[in-house]
Structure formats: structure tokens, C-alpha cells
Amino acid sequence: MTRNIMVLVFAAVCGLCSAGLTHAEQLAARSSSSIKSDLNYLMYTPDDYASSDKAYPLVVWLHGGDQGGTDIEKVRSSGIPKLIEDGKSFPFLVFSPQNPSEELLYPIEKVEAALDEVMSKYRVDRTRVYVVGFSRGGFGTWAMAEQFPEKFAAFVPIAGGGNRHYLSRTNEKAAFWVFHGTSDDVIPLSDSVVLYERLVGLKRNARLSVLEGVDHSGVEWAALNDRELWDWLLKQRLEVTPQ
């Protein structure tokens, strides 16, 4: 009896709904907004850039969490920009965008939009464009590999992490070199290992350097001061459609 009463009440309520209310509509629309490439960034050109007419490889450097915000001078304090400030020369262009947030991950769509702008202004060898990132920038490196797979020849995530499920979107012809320290108490080593193992399962060109006893800040410098890394990186090429 109770069940029959409940059914009758439900039917009555539904009848009132259909009789007294119009059905809500979902309208299809298309956004016309565009991504503003309004990021602050540093741009490094090799010593011979102005005196030559050749195209150069380009490295995108994604910094860690401490350099985010609106003060571009902070970006000079770590990573590749720090090495350049200390007098090191590189045979490639370096594009170092600043994460506008001090707390959140990189807005990689804006990074990609700003990169397109940079590549239209400078002589870039489009077969040799790379992403290198540390910590929060390491997360950005993994994300760039997944979301813009046709743009980059190689990726170097240092003490980063990400979503392994989307690695199937990565370019089969791109190369990866992953760095992480065993004593990292900020980003667990396992974050890099699980992503590397996923790449291996996908038969990607991937290598992993686990640095024994190296902590979070130490792995950044250990990786960037590894001469073999740069020799390896500049050998990576990716065939791209002519612009």
C-alpha cells in the first residue's frame, strides 16, 4: 500500500512539473575568445646570432615554483637563465616564460601561444625545438608533451610529475630524458618513475636518470650541468610540416 501511494505522489508531482513548467533548454554556442600570449619571458640568443643568417635550435625553459609571479627578474635566479647570467654560453635560443602564478601550474596554452609568437620573430630550426623544465616546470614539460606532441623533438622533465594516462598522446618520434633524485622530499621519485615506465610501455624513446642521494634543489643543477644532456638534446630532431 505504501509503495502504491509513493508512486501516485511521484506521478502527481511529475504531472505538475510538465503542466506548470517549461522544459529547460541547452543552447549550443561557440566561444570567440582567443588566448592572449601575455606572459613575461626572457629570451636568449647565441653569441653569433646577429652575425649569421642560420636557424637555431630552441629550448623552452620552464622554471620551478619560486620564480612565478610578475617579477621577471626572478626567472634569472635559477635554471638555464641562471647559468646564462653566470656567463655560460649556449649554441641555441632559450625562451624562458614566467609562470604568472606563484601557486598554480603553468598555463601551458599561454606558453604555447607565446612560443608561436617567439618562433615567428626569431630564426628557429623547427625540427629542433625542446622543452626542459624543473619541478613545477617539470609538470609543465610533461603536459606540453601530451598536449602539443607535434611541436617538440625532445622533453627533459626534471623532478616533475603528471598524468600517465595521457602519455599515449605523445609523439612516437619524440625523445625523453627524465631526471629525479632519490632524496627528493618535495616531488616523490615515484612520480617520475611511473611516467617513465609508461613511456617504456608505449615504446617511446625514453631514458631515466635516478640520482642517488640528490635532493629536490640539487637535481636541477645536476641535470643542467650534465654535458651529456646537451650533446644528447641537440641530436634530437623531429620532422615538421614547413610553415
Side-chain angles (χ1 to χ4, degrees):
M1 178 64 71
T2 301
R3 180 179 178 182
N4 291 337
I5 293 173
M6 292 177 63
V7 170
L8 290 172
V9 170
F10 178 75
V13 170
C14 288
L16 289 173
C17 290
S18 60
L21 299 176
T22 58
H23 181 69
E25 294 186 21
Q26 297 185 82
L27 301 178
R30 182 186 296 273
S31 172
S32 60
S33 64
S34 59
I35 298 175
K36 293 182 179 180
S37 56
D38 58 354
L39 298 183
N40 295 324
Y41 64 86
L42 298 175
M43 190 70 202
Y44 167 81
T45 56
D47 295 338
D48 63 346
Y49 181 84
S51 61
S52 75
D53 58 1
K54 66 180 181 181
Y56 290 77
L58 183 146
V59 171
V60 179
W61 164 252
L62 302 181
H63 62 72
D66 292 341
Q67 288 75 53
T70 58
D71 181 3
I72 189 61
E73 294 305 310
K74 293 196 299 184
V75 178
R76 301 180 192 272
S77 67
S78 76
I80 299 177
K82 172 63 173 172
L83 295 176
I84 294 170
E85 290 294 307
D86 290 345
K88 187 172 181 61
S89 297
F90 290 104
F92 46 75
L93 300 160
V94 182
F95 165 60
S96 304
Q98 183 176 36
N99 184 350
S101 174
E102 296 181 351
E103 299 177 356
L104 304 177
L105 296 178
Y106 265 92
I108 61 169
E109 291 83 3
K110 286 193 173 186
V111 172
E112 197 261 350
L115 175 59
D116 282 345
E117 183 180 85
V118 164
M119 291 175 67
S120 70
K121 292 180 178 180
Y122 292 85
R123 298 191 308 273
V124 176
D125 180 349
R126 293 173 180 266
T127 71
R128 294 196 291 170
V129 181
Y130 316 109
V131 186
V132 181
F134 165 65
S135 190
R136 196 173 298 174
F139 279 81
T141 302
W142 286 111
M144 296 288 276
E146 294 169 343
Q147 295 200 35
F148 308 109
E150 302 305 320
K151 204 177 202 77
F152 305 102
F155 302 89
V156 184
I158 305 168
N163 190 331
R164 68 184 182 89
H165 299 290
Y166 292 111
L167 287 177
S168 58
R169 286 178 41 80
T170 57
N171 195 317
E172 295 178 0
K173 297 180 180 179
F176 296 79
W177 192 343
V178 186
F179 287 84
H180 217 116
T182 61
S183 298
D184 194 327
D185 59 358
V186 178
I187 309 295
L189 169 60
S190 58
D191 281 20
S192 284
V193 171
V194 71
L195 292 166
Y196 165 74
E197 290 179 344
R198 174 63 172 157
L199 288 175
V200 172
L202 292 167
K203 300 187 183 330
R204 298 294 191 261
N205 177 3
R207 59 192 295 183
L208 171 66
S209 288
V210 176
L211 306 183
E212 192 67 34
V214 177
D215 62 12
H216 189 67
S217 61
V219 70
E220 176 183 20
W221 301 113
L224 296 181
N225 284 298
D226 186 340
R227 176 62 183 272
E228 185 183 354
L229 168 63
W230 303 115
D231 292 342
W232 170 88
L233 190 67
L234 293 175
K235 292 176 183 176
Q236 309 308 317
R237 290 182 178 271
L238 186 68
E239 294 304 318
V240 297
T241 303
Q243 298 293 311

